[in-house]
Amino acid sequence: MGILSWIIFGLIAGAIAKFILPGRDPGGIIVTILIGVVGGLLGGWISSQFGGQGVTGFSFMSFVWAVIGSLILLIAYRLVFNRSRS
């Protein structure tokens, strides 16, 4: 259930990260969803590094970590994209 939970969290977290950091991103909604899913996994990994228990189901803190991971990836994606475009 852990990985599946992070994927579901990631889908929602990607949408929220896009809402928090609006702007034009190449790839549209598909890239945003992928960033959200990978960001959810990243958030789970970061949580476990700080002593978190991982995902045992849907909880508020798990969701927060998924959004944090998605925001990190969205910012990194924009930095890489903007540099390659310049």
Side-chain angles (χ1 to χ4, degrees), residues 4-5 11 30 34 36 65 74 80:
L4 181 61
S5 294
L11 291 171
I30 300 299
L34 291 174
W65 281 110
L74 185 58
V80 168

Side-chain angles (χ1 to χ4, degrees), residues 21-75:
L21 295 172
R24 289 191 58 177
D25 292 320
I29 190 74
I30 300 299
V31 171
T32 302
I33 288 172
L34 291 174
I35 286 174
V37 170
V38 175
L41 295 171
L42 175 66
W45 180 79
I46 292 171
S47 171
S48 68
Q49 297 303 309
F50 285 110
Q53 298 176 3
V55 176
T56 56
F58 292 100
S59 70
F60 179 72
M61 282 312 296
S62 296
F63 185 70
V64 168
W65 281 110
V67 171
I68 289 170
S70 296
L71 286 170
I72 290 169
L73 283 181
L74 185 58
I75 290 168

Side-chain angles (χ1 to χ4, degrees), residues 6-31:
W6 280 111
I7 290 171
I8 293 169
F9 278 152
L11 291 171
I12 299 167
I16 290 177
K18 181 70 172 172
F19 180 75
I20 292 172
L21 295 172
R24 289 191 58 177
D25 292 320
I29 190 74
I30 300 299
V31 171

